[in-house]
Structures are given as structure tokens and as C-alpha cells.
Amino acid sequence: PANMRNNVKVKSDRRDAIYEALKTANTGDAVLIAGKGHETYQIIEHTTYPFSDGDVVQDFMKITASAAC
């Protein structure tokens, strides 16, 4: 729908994008992190870097849990 276009954000850094989505989610929201699945790497240009969406989510949860204490 046209009214949802204002809610779209584009971030080129995947970690930042995941953090932003989790940070801005409200109680009852669902955050869908799609596109990598089981892969444990990210290819940028011709270089392969270790990367896991699951690890990023776990890191975010640890950071926010420790900040809440």
C-alpha cells in the first residue's frame, strides 16, 4: 500500500539493518530477517566475511539485556 512506503528504510550494512529492525520493533511486532538462512558468511564484492544473522540477533539480545540491568 502507498501509505506504507514512508516506513521503508534502506541500510547497506546488514548488521546495522538487523539492529535497527530489532530496536524499533514494538511489543507484538514480528521481525522477519530474510535472505541468508543457514549461511555463516557474507560476500561483499569479492571478499568473504564471517557473518550469521542468528549471531547478530543473539548479540543484540545480550546488549539490550545488559543495558536493562
Side-chain angles (χ1 to χ4, degrees):
N3 64 342
M4 293 186 71
R5 291 185 187 150
N6 294 333
N7 294 329
V8 174
K9 294 181 182 179
V10 176
K11 290 195 170 269
S12 59
D13 183 295
R14 189 169 181 87
R15 180 180 310 276
D16 288 347
I18 292 170
Y19 270 42
E20 179 76 15
L22 295 172
K23 191 172 16 176
T24 59
N26 294 311
T27 301
D29 287 351
V31 175
L32 173 65
I33 303 169
K36 293 195 51 58
H38 66 284
E39 296 173 356
T40 57
Y41 59 91
Q42 184 172 20
I43 300 171
I44 301 174
E45 294 187 16
H46 300 289
T47 305
T48 302
Y49 299 93
F51 191 89
S52 165
D53 291 340
D55 289 347
V56 172
V57 172
Q58 288 180 350
D59 291 345
F60 177 85
M61 300 304 276
K62 287 177 189 173
I63 291 167
T64 55
S66 65
C69 295

